[in-house]
Amino acid sequence: MAQILDGKALALSIQAELTTRIQAWQIEYGRPPGLAVLMVGDNPASAAYVRNKARACEQVGIAALGQIFPAETEPAQLAQTIADLNHDSRVDGILLQLPLPQHLDAIALLEQIAPDKDADGLHPVNLGRLLRDEPGLRSCTPAGVMQLLKANNIPLEGKTAAVLGRSVLVGKPMAMMLLNANATPIMVHSRSKNLSELTRSADILVVAVGIPELVKGDQVKPGAAVVDVGINRIADPVTGLERLVGDVDFESVSPVARWITPVPGGVGPMTVATLLHNTVLSYRKRFKID
């Protein structure tokens, strides 16, 4: 059976280290790092994510300065809020919780966040810095995956890495991070031909498509590292109760792979840990902390 890549344990370790540092910095610099999470509407999944982020901030000592807006909020009001936060000296990171209601242009609003406060790493400036392999804030989920691979000493240099999914949130930055680590990334998507052939060629397989248990054991190279970014709610056919599953069929893949992430407890906690890390990076840059 595959070794479990325990994102929850690694995230707790990262948070413990951040807690110690933040306590010292607060005494020296007069305030803790601050993260503003903006949520629009009452999407239950988004609300749960925002609560988790606020709880994680509280645990490490980051000031959570979030705001919740009604679903009918106008773009101008959100734009003004972002502008105010850009100039707020208490705020080091700004995150606009997605998805937004249909009348709001997420791309236009994300572009209004100051790049050095872009805690989600999605501003075009930060994506450009990733492309050029320059220092900058990184997209949280793929950066969390890279941390998880590194912490478990999974070799990347010279390895073939297949990324299923080409979203700007995960797939595209994930492929670029792997390339910057000297892996050879293959982008696999809905128009790709011979999908199973491509996935079976991969030493590292990252799946982020949002389709429950899409990848089966016969689509995985024996000994591969399999990273499941997906999180889907499905109903148990017998009990009717909902449960969480990933985009990878854990039962059939885990006997084939050498390493695998569980769902939940794999990539999800690392996404939140990276969000905290990004906020701290912005704080350190502001105060010129090495």
Side-chain angles (χ1 to χ4, degrees):
M1 293 293 289
Q3 176 184 331
I4 298 297
L5 300 177
D6 191 340
K8 185 175 181 180
L10 179 57
L12 288 173
S13 174
I14 293 169
Q15 290 175 21
E17 183 180 351
L18 288 177
T19 301
T20 301
R21 292 188 175 191
I22 288 168
Q23 288 172 348
W25 290 335
Q26 183 165 1
I27 294 170
E28 185 170 356
Y29 298 104
R31 71 164 180 87
L35 174 65
V37 179
L38 307 180
M39 176 178 154
V40 184
D42 56 0
N43 181 300
S46 292
Y49 291 142
V50 169
R51 284 195 300 272
N52 287 342
K53 290 164 184 173
R55 189 180 305 116
C57 284
E58 181 182 351
Q59 288 170 347
V60 302
I62 291 175
L65 306 166
Q67 299 181 48
I68 299 176
F69 297 86
E72 61 274 13
T73 300
E74 292 298 323
Q77 183 181 351
L78 279 174
Q80 184 58 56
T81 299
I82 291 170
D84 292 342
L85 292 170
N86 284 338
H87 293 94
D88 191 330
S89 61
R90 303 170 302 160
V91 175
D92 303 287
I94 303 169
L95 183 148
L96 183 62
Q97 182 67 42
L98 303 176
L100 295 174
Q102 289 188 350
H103 71 285
L104 296 172
D105 185 340
I107 294 174
L109 289 167
L110 287 170
E111 288 180 354
Q112 293 181 50
I113 297 173
D116 287 342
K117 291 192 177 186
D118 169 34
D120 232 0
L122 295 178
H123 192 283
V125 168
N126 286 319
L127 291 173
R129 289 168 175 163
L130 170 61
L131 181 68
R132 294 169 61 94
D133 199 13
E134 297 174 351
L137 300 175
R138 300 294 193 238
S139 182
C140 293
T141 296
V145 170
M146 295 299 288
Q147 281 281 90
L148 195 53
L149 295 172
K150 181 180 179 180
N152 286 275
N153 299 310
I154 296 173
L156 298 178
E157 186 167 343
K159 300 297 184 179
T160 300
V163 180
L164 270 70
R166 52 180 169 177
S167 72
V168 73
L169 192 66
V170 180
K172 290 178 180 177
M174 185 79 256
M176 190 54 57
M177 290 179 197
L178 288 163
L179 180 62
N180 290 343
N182 295 319
T184 303
I186 302 171
M187 294 293 296
V188 185
H189 50 81
S190 60
R191 300 293 188 273
S192 297
K193 295 181 180 179
N194 302 320
L195 184 146
S196 294
E197 183 179 325
L198 293 172
T199 59
R200 278 195 298 268
S201 73
D203 303 297
I204 297 100
L205 178 61
V206 182
V207 189
V209 291
I211 301 175
E213 300 178 327
L214 171 70
V215 174
K216 307 297 184 184
D218 61 0
Q219 296 173 295
V220 174
K221 180 179 182 178
V226 179
V227 179
D228 190 351
V229 178
I231 184 161
N232 312 280
R233 291 185 181 275
I234 64 170
D236 187 290
V238 177
T239 65
L241 298 175
E242 283 193 340
R243 60 189 179 95
L244 293 177
V245 299
D247 293 349
V248 171
D249 179 17
F250 187 90
E251 190 170 322
S252 68
V253 172
S254 56
V256 178
R258 182 174 176 185
W259 299 275
I260 192 169
T261 58
V263 176
V267 175
M270 291 303 301
T271 298
V272 176
T274 306
L275 173 65
L276 304 179
H277 175 72
N278 278 349
T279 303
V280 167
L281 279 180
S282 295
Y283 176 88
R284 290 172 60 181
K285 185 173 182 179
R286 177 186 294 269
F287 288 105
K288 297 181 173 59
I289 304 170
D290 292 332

Short mmCIF file of all heavy atoms in Angstrom, two decimals, residues 229-279:
data_model
loop_
_atom_site.label_atom_id
_atom_site.label_comp_id
_atom_site.label_asym_id
_atom_site.label_seq_id
_atom_site.Cartn_x
_atom_site.Cartn_y
_atom_site.Cartn_z
N VAL A 229 -6.09 16.68 -5.54
CA VAL A 229 -6.50 18.03 -5.14
C VAL A 229 -8.02 18.11 -5.00
O VAL A 229 -8.54 19.00 -4.34
CB VAL A 229 -5.99 19.07 -6.16
CG1 VAL A 229 -6.43 20.47 -5.79
CG2 VAL A 229 -4.47 19.01 -6.25
N GLY A 230 -8.73 17.17 -5.58
CA GLY A 230 -10.19 17.25 -5.61
C GLY A 230 -10.82 17.04 -4.25
O GLY A 230 -10.28 16.34 -3.38
N ILE A 231 -11.97 17.65 -4.07
CA ILE A 231 -12.79 17.40 -2.88
C ILE A 231 -14.25 17.49 -3.31
O ILE A 231 -14.73 18.53 -3.76
CB ILE A 231 -12.45 18.36 -1.72
CG1 ILE A 231 -13.25 17.99 -0.47
CG2 ILE A 231 -12.63 19.81 -2.10
CD1 ILE A 231 -12.66 18.55 0.81
N ASN A 232 -14.92 16.34 -3.25
CA ASN A 232 -16.28 16.23 -3.77
C ASN A 232 -17.17 15.57 -2.72
O ASN A 232 -16.75 14.64 -2.03
CB ASN A 232 -16.30 15.35 -5.03
CG ASN A 232 -15.23 15.75 -6.04
OD1 ASN A 232 -15.40 16.70 -6.78
ND2 ASN A 232 -14.12 15.01 -6.06
N ARG A 233 -18.39 16.05 -2.63
CA ARG A 233 -19.38 15.43 -1.74
C ARG A 233 -20.25 14.48 -2.55
O ARG A 233 -20.85 14.87 -3.54
CB ARG A 233 -20.26 16.49 -1.08
CG ARG A 233 -19.51 17.36 -0.07
CD ARG A 233 -20.45 18.31 0.65
NE ARG A 233 -19.73 19.15 1.59
CZ ARG A 233 -19.43 18.78 2.84
NH1 ARG A 233 -19.84 17.60 3.29
NH2 ARG A 233 -18.76 19.58 3.64
N ILE A 234 -20.30 13.23 -2.14
CA ILE A 234 -21.17 12.26 -2.80
C ILE A 234 -22.02 11.55 -1.75
O ILE A 234 -21.64 11.46 -0.58
CB ILE A 234 -20.37 11.23 -3.63
CG1 ILE A 234 -19.48 10.38 -2.73
CG2 ILE A 234 -19.53 11.92 -4.70
CD1 ILE A 234 -18.85 9.20 -3.45
N ALA A 235 -23.16 11.05 -2.19
CA ALA A 235 -24.05 10.34 -1.28
C ALA A 235 -23.74 8.85 -1.32
O ALA A 235 -23.58 8.27 -2.40
CB ALA A 235 -25.50 10.59 -1.67
N ASP A 236 -23.66 8.24 -0.15
CA ASP A 236 -23.46 6.80 -0.07
C ASP A 236 -24.71 6.10 -0.60
O ASP A 236 -25.82 6.38 -0.14
CB ASP A 236 -23.19 6.39 1.38
CG ASP A 236 -22.79 4.94 1.50
OD1 ASP A 236 -23.68 4.08 1.30
OD2 ASP A 236 -21.62 4.66 1.80
N PRO A 237 -24.58 5.19 -1.57
CA PRO A 237 -25.76 4.56 -2.17
C PRO A 237 -26.56 3.70 -1.19
O PRO A 237 -27.75 3.46 -1.40
CB PRO A 237 -25.17 3.70 -3.30
CG PRO A 237 -23.74 3.49 -2.95
CD PRO A 237 -23.32 4.72 -2.20
N VAL A 238 -25.91 3.26 -0.11
CA VAL A 238 -26.60 2.40 0.85
C VAL A 238 -27.26 3.23 1.95
O VAL A 238 -28.47 3.10 2.22
CB VAL A 238 -25.61 1.39 1.48
CG1 VAL A 238 -26.32 0.54 2.54
CG2 VAL A 238 -24.99 0.51 0.40
N THR A 239 -26.47 4.11 2.58
CA THR A 239 -26.99 4.88 3.72
C THR A 239 -27.62 6.21 3.32
O THR A 239 -28.41 6.77 4.07
CB THR A 239 -25.86 5.16 4.71
OG1 THR A 239 -24.89 6.03 4.09
CG2 THR A 239 -25.17 3.88 5.14
N GLY A 240 -27.23 6.72 2.14
CA GLY A 240 -27.71 8.04 1.73
C GLY A 240 -26.95 9.18 2.36
O GLY A 240 -27.20 10.34 2.04
N LEU A 241 -26.01 8.85 3.26
CA LEU A 241 -25.23 9.89 3.93
C LEU A 241 -24.14 10.42 3.00
O LEU A 241 -23.57 9.67 2.20
CB LEU A 241 -24.60 9.34 5.21
CG LEU A 241 -25.56 8.85 6.28
CD1 LEU A 241 -24.80 8.21 7.44
CD2 LEU A 241 -26.42 10.02 6.80
N GLU A 242 -23.85 11.72 3.11
CA GLU A 242 -22.80 12.31 2.29
C GLU A 242 -21.42 12.00 2.86
O GLU A 242 -21.24 11.90 4.07
CB GLU A 242 -22.98 13.84 2.22
CG GLU A 242 -24.08 14.28 1.28
CD GLU A 242 -24.01 15.76 0.98
OE1 GLU A 242 -23.38 16.50 1.76
OE2 GLU A 242 -24.59 16.20 -0.03
N ARG A 243 -20.46 11.85 1.95
CA ARG A 243 -19.08 11.70 2.37
C ARG A 243 -18.19 12.43 1.36
O ARG A 243 -18.61 12.74 0.24
CB ARG A 243 -18.67 10.23 2.46
CG ARG A 243 -18.79 9.45 1.16
CD ARG A 243 -18.58 7.96 1.38
NE ARG A 243 -18.71 7.19 0.14
CZ ARG A 243 -17.69 6.85 -0.63
NH1 ARG A 243 -16.45 7.20 -0.30
NH2 ARG A 243 -17.88 6.16 -1.74
N LEU A 244 -16.96 12.73 1.79
CA LEU A 244 -16.02 13.44 0.93
C LEU A 244 -15.12 12.44 0.21
O LEU A 244 -14.59 11.52 0.83
CB LEU A 244 -15.16 14.39 1.77
CG LEU A 244 -15.87 15.58 2.42
CD1 LEU A 244 -14.89 16.37 3.27
CD2 LEU A 244 -16.49 16.48 1.37
N VAL A 245 -14.96 12.67 -1.08
CA VAL A 245 -14.01 11.87 -1.86
C VAL A 245 -13.23 12.81 -2.75
O VAL A 245 -13.63 13.94 -3.02
CB VAL A 245 -14.73 10.80 -2.72
CG1 VAL A 245 -15.50 9.83 -1.86
CG2 VAL A 245 -15.64 11.45 -3.76
N GLY A 246 -12.10 12.33 -3.24
CA GLY A 246 -11.28 13.14 -4.12
C GLY A 246 -11.59 12.86 -5.58
O GLY A 246 -12.60 12.24 -5.94
N ASP A 247 -10.67 13.31 -6.44
CA ASP A 247 -10.76 13.03 -7.88
C ASP A 247 -10.08 11.71 -8.22
O ASP A 247 -10.11 11.28 -9.37
CB ASP A 247 -10.08 14.15 -8.68
CG ASP A 247 -10.83 15.47 -8.57
OD1 ASP A 247 -11.97 15.48 -8.06
OD2 ASP A 247 -10.28 16.51 -9.00
N VAL A 248 -9.45 11.10 -7.22
CA VAL A 248 -8.75 9.83 -7.37
C VAL A 248 -9.51 8.75 -6.61
O VAL A 248 -9.96 8.97 -5.48
CB VAL A 248 -7.30 9.93 -6.84
CG1 VAL A 248 -6.61 8.58 -6.80
CG2 VAL A 248 -6.49 10.92 -7.69
N ASP A 249 -9.66 7.59 -7.22
CA ASP A 249 -10.28 6.44 -6.55
C ASP A 249 -9.24 5.83 -5.60
O ASP A 249 -8.42 5.00 -6.01
CB ASP A 249 -10.74 5.42 -7.59
CG ASP A 249 -11.36 4.19 -6.95
OD1 ASP A 249 -11.73 4.25 -5.76
OD2 ASP A 249 -11.45 3.15 -7.64
N PHE A 250 -9.27 6.27 -4.36
CA PHE A 250 -8.24 5.91 -3.38
C PHE A 250 -8.10 4.39 -3.25
O PHE A 250 -6.99 3.86 -3.17
CB PHE A 250 -8.58 6.53 -2.03
CG PHE A 250 -7.51 6.38 -0.99
CD1 PHE A 250 -6.52 7.32 -0.84
CD2 PHE A 250 -7.50 5.26 -0.16
CE1 PHE A 250 -5.52 7.18 0.12
CE2 PHE A 250 -6.51 5.10 0.81
CZ PHE A 250 -5.52 6.06 0.94
N GLU A 251 -9.23 3.69 -3.26
CA GLU A 251 -9.21 2.25 -3.01
C GLU A 251 -8.42 1.50 -4.08
O GLU A 251 -7.66 0.56 -3.78
CB GLU A 251 -10.64 1.71 -2.95
CG GLU A 251 -10.73 0.28 -2.46
CD GLU A 251 -12.16 -0.15 -2.18
OE1 GLU A 251 -12.94 0.68 -1.66
OE2 GLU A 251 -12.49 -1.31 -2.48
N SER A 252 -8.58 1.89 -5.35
CA SER A 252 -7.88 1.16 -6.42
C SER A 252 -6.49 1.72 -6.71
O SER A 252 -5.62 1.00 -7.21
CB SER A 252 -8.71 1.19 -7.71
OG SER A 252 -8.79 2.50 -8.26
N VAL A 253 -6.25 2.99 -6.36
CA VAL A 253 -4.95 3.62 -6.67
C VAL A 253 -3.92 3.36 -5.57
O VAL A 253 -2.74 3.17 -5.86
CB VAL A 253 -5.12 5.14 -6.90
CG1 VAL A 253 -3.77 5.84 -7.01
CG2 VAL A 253 -5.94 5.39 -8.15
N SER A 254 -4.34 3.32 -4.32
CA SER A 254 -3.37 3.20 -3.23
C SER A 254 -2.53 1.92 -3.28
O SER A 254 -1.36 1.95 -2.87
CB SER A 254 -4.07 3.34 -1.86
OG SER A 254 -5.11 2.40 -1.72
N PRO A 255 -3.03 0.78 -3.79
CA PRO A 255 -2.13 -0.38 -3.90
C PRO A 255 -1.10 -0.25 -5.02
O PRO A 255 -0.12 -1.01 -5.04
CB PRO A 255 -3.10 -1.53 -4.21
CG PRO A 255 -4.45 -1.06 -3.81
CD PRO A 255 -4.43 0.42 -4.08
N VAL A 256 -1.31 0.70 -5.95
CA VAL A 256 -0.42 0.86 -7.10
C VAL A 256 0.64 1.93 -6.85
O VAL A 256 1.82 1.75 -7.18
CB VAL A 256 -1.23 1.23 -8.36
CG1 VAL A 256 -0.32 1.43 -9.56
CG2 VAL A 256 -2.29 0.18 -8.65
N ALA A 257 0.22 3.04 -6.26
CA ALA A 257 1.12 4.18 -6.05
C ALA A 257 2.10 3.90 -4.91
O ALA A 257 1.87 3.04 -4.05
CB ALA A 257 0.31 5.43 -5.74
N ARG A 258 3.19 4.67 -4.90
CA ARG A 258 4.13 4.60 -3.77
C ARG A 258 3.74 5.60 -2.70
O ARG A 258 3.95 5.37 -1.51
CB ARG A 258 5.55 4.86 -4.25
CG ARG A 258 6.58 4.76 -3.13
CD ARG A 258 8.00 4.88 -3.62
NE ARG A 258 8.94 4.88 -2.53
CZ ARG A 258 10.25 5.07 -2.66
NH1 ARG A 258 10.77 5.26 -3.88
NH2 ARG A 258 11.05 5.06 -1.61
N TRP A 259 3.23 6.77 -3.15
CA TRP A 259 2.76 7.81 -2.23
C TRP A 259 1.39 8.28 -2.71
O TRP A 259 1.12 8.33 -3.91
CB TRP A 259 3.69 9.03 -2.24
CG TRP A 259 5.10 8.81 -1.82
CD1 TRP A 259 5.60 8.79 -0.54
CD2 TRP A 259 6.24 8.63 -2.68
NE1 TRP A 259 6.97 8.60 -0.57
CE2 TRP A 259 7.38 8.50 -1.87
CE3 TRP A 259 6.41 8.57 -4.07
CZ2 TRP A 259 8.66 8.31 -2.38
CZ3 TRP A 259 7.68 8.37 -4.59
CH2 TRP A 259 8.79 8.25 -3.75
N ILE A 260 0.53 8.66 -1.77
CA ILE A 260 -0.80 9.17 -2.14
C ILE A 260 -1.31 10.11 -1.05
O ILE A 260 -1.03 9.91 0.14
CB ILE A 260 -1.78 8.00 -2.38
CG1 ILE A 260 -3.08 8.51 -3.04
CG2 ILE A 260 -2.07 7.25 -1.09
CD1 ILE A 260 -3.97 7.38 -3.54
N THR A 261 -2.05 11.13 -1.47
CA THR A 261 -2.69 12.02 -0.49
C THR A 261 -4.10 11.52 -0.21
O THR A 261 -4.81 11.10 -1.12
CB THR A 261 -2.78 13.46 -1.02
OG1 THR A 261 -3.51 13.47 -2.25
CG2 THR A 261 -1.41 14.07 -1.23
N PRO A 262 -4.53 11.60 1.05
CA PRO A 262 -5.91 11.24 1.37
C PRO A 262 -6.84 12.42 1.14
O PRO A 262 -6.40 13.56 1.01
CB PRO A 262 -5.83 10.91 2.87
CG PRO A 262 -4.76 11.85 3.38
CD PRO A 262 -3.75 11.96 2.25
N VAL A 263 -8.13 12.14 1.06
CA VAL A 263 -9.16 13.19 1.03
C VAL A 263 -10.23 12.79 2.03
O VAL A 263 -10.83 11.73 1.88
CB VAL A 263 -9.78 13.34 -0.38
CG1 VAL A 263 -10.92 14.37 -0.34
CG2 VAL A 263 -8.73 13.75 -1.40
N PRO A 264 -10.45 13.61 3.06
CA PRO A 264 -9.73 14.86 3.40
C PRO A 264 -8.40 14.55 4.11
O PRO A 264 -8.07 13.39 4.34
CB PRO A 264 -10.70 15.55 4.34
CG PRO A 264 -11.44 14.43 5.02
CD PRO A 264 -11.57 13.33 3.98
N GLY A 265 -7.68 15.64 4.42
CA GLY A 265 -6.45 15.51 5.20
C GLY A 265 -5.18 15.52 4.40
O GLY A 265 -4.09 15.32 4.98
N GLY A 266 -5.29 15.74 3.10
CA GLY A 266 -4.09 15.78 2.26
C GLY A 266 -3.74 17.19 1.84
O GLY A 266 -3.05 17.93 2.55
N VAL A 267 -4.26 17.60 0.68
CA VAL A 267 -3.92 18.90 0.12
C VAL A 267 -4.65 20.05 0.82
O VAL A 267 -4.09 21.14 0.98
CB VAL A 267 -4.22 18.91 -1.40
CG1 VAL A 267 -4.00 20.30 -1.99
CG2 VAL A 267 -3.35 17.88 -2.12
N GLY A 268 -5.88 19.83 1.25
CA GLY A 268 -6.68 20.91 1.84
C GLY A 268 -5.99 21.67 2.96
O GLY A 268 -5.91 22.90 2.93
N PRO A 269 -5.48 20.97 3.99
CA PRO A 269 -4.79 21.69 5.07
C PRO A 269 -3.57 22.45 4.60
O PRO A 269 -3.23 23.50 5.15
CB PRO A 269 -4.40 20.56 6.04
CG PRO A 269 -5.34 19.45 5.74
CD PRO A 269 -5.62 19.54 4.28
N MET A 270 -2.90 21.95 3.56
CA MET A 270 -1.72 22.62 3.04
C MET A 270 -2.08 23.92 2.31
O MET A 270 -1.30 24.88 2.30
CB MET A 270 -0.95 21.69 2.11
CG MET A 270 -0.29 20.52 2.82
SD MET A 270 0.85 21.07 4.12
CE MET A 270 2.00 22.07 3.18
N THR A 271 -3.26 23.96 1.71
CA THR A 271 -3.73 25.19 1.07
C THR A 271 -3.87 26.29 2.11
O THR A 271 -3.42 27.43 1.91
CB THR A 271 -5.07 24.95 0.36
OG1 THR A 271 -4.90 23.96 -0.67
CG2 THR A 271 -5.60 26.23 -0.27
N VAL A 272 -4.49 25.96 3.24
CA VAL A 272 -4.67 26.95 4.31
C VAL A 272 -3.32 27.35 4.90
O VAL A 272 -3.07 28.54 5.16
CB VAL A 272 -5.62 26.40 5.40
CG1 VAL A 272 -5.74 27.40 6.54
CG2 VAL A 272 -6.99 26.11 4.80
N ALA A 273 -2.44 26.39 5.12
CA ALA A 273 -1.12 26.69 5.67
C ALA A 273 -0.35 27.63 4.75
O ALA A 273 0.36 28.54 5.21
CB ALA A 273 -0.32 25.41 5.89
N THR A 274 -0.48 27.44 3.43
CA THR A 274 0.21 28.31 2.49
C THR A 274 -0.39 29.70 2.48
O THR A 274 0.33 30.70 2.32
CB THR A 274 0.17 27.70 1.07
OG1 THR A 274 0.69 26.38 1.12
CG2 THR A 274 1.01 28.52 0.10
N LEU A 275 -1.68 29.81 2.66
CA LEU A 275 -2.32 31.12 2.79
C LEU A 275 -1.73 31.90 3.97
O LEU A 275 -1.39 33.09 3.86
CB LEU A 275 -3.83 30.95 2.97
CG LEU A 275 -4.64 32.20 3.29
CD1 LEU A 275 -4.60 33.18 2.13
CD2 LEU A 275 -6.08 31.82 3.64
N LEU A 276 -1.57 31.23 5.10
CA LEU A 276 -0.96 31.86 6.28
C LEU A 276 0.49 32.23 5.98
O LEU A 276 0.95 33.33 6.34
CB LEU A 276 -1.02 30.91 7.47
CG LEU A 276 -2.41 30.38 7.88
CD1 LEU A 276 -2.29 29.44 9.06
CD2 LEU A 276 -3.37 31.51 8.19
N HIS A 277 1.19 31.32 5.31
CA HIS A 277 2.59 31.56 4.94
C HIS A 277 2.72 32.78 4.04
O HIS A 277 3.61 33.63 4.23
CB HIS A 277 3.14 30.32 4.26
CG HIS A 277 4.54 30.46 3.73
ND1 HIS A 277 5.65 30.51 4.55
CD2 HIS A 277 5.00 30.57 2.46
CE1 HIS A 277 6.73 30.64 3.81
NE2 HIS A 277 6.37 30.68 2.54
N ASN A 278 1.83 32.91 3.05
CA ASN A 278 1.85 34.07 2.16
C ASN A 278 1.62 35.37 2.92
O ASN A 278 2.26 36.38 2.66
CB ASN A 278 0.79 33.91 1.07
CG ASN A 278 1.25 33.04 -0.08
OD1 ASN A 278 2.42 32.69 -0.20
ND2 ASN A 278 0.32 32.68 -0.95
N THR A 279 0.68 35.34 3.86
CA THR A 279 0.40 36.53 4.66
C THR A 279 1.63 36.94 5.47
O THR A 279 1.98 38.12 5.55
CB THR A 279 -0.79 36.27 5.61
OG1 THR A 279 -1.93 35.87 4.83
CG2 THR A 279 -1.14 37.50 6.42
#
